[in-house]
Amino acid sequence: SYLILAFVLMNPTTENATLEIKGINGKARVIVTDVNGRVIDDVNVSDGVETITINSERYASGVYYVRVMSEGINKTTTLIKK
């Protein structure tokens, strides 16, 4: 069993946000969805990467869910765009 920590820095944001991911062994996938479940971004993350930039400049103002998936484990955090 693995413990995945994922959190968004600079939240709420008006531009880019930084997602920090800890505890992932191997590759991961990051999916950003809006409150209606529509996929806004879908990013594959290489092994060893612990920080990614979410380019939220093109997002409308609102709440988004950032889901990190790796080896059958899901972790979801919230991103707020002003």
Side-chain angles (χ1 to χ4, degrees), residues 21-76:
I21 308 167
K22 306 288 184 190
I24 291 180
N25 293 326
K27 296 179 182 178
R29 186 172 171 197
V30 175
I31 299 173
V32 180
T33 59
D34 63 15
V35 293
N36 296 315
R38 185 180 63 189
V39 174
I40 307 299
D41 272 322
D42 189 342
V43 179
N44 289 314
V45 180
S46 300
D47 187 17
V49 172
E50 293 188 344
T51 304
I52 65 168
T53 299
I54 299 172
N55 182 1
S56 58
E57 288 182 36
R58 59 186 173 81
Y59 296 7
S61 296
V63 176
Y64 295 87
Y65 300 105
V66 181
R67 184 169 51 157
V68 180
M69 300 182 302
S70 177
E71 296 184 13
I73 298 172
N74 292 318
K75 173 69 177 176
T76 303

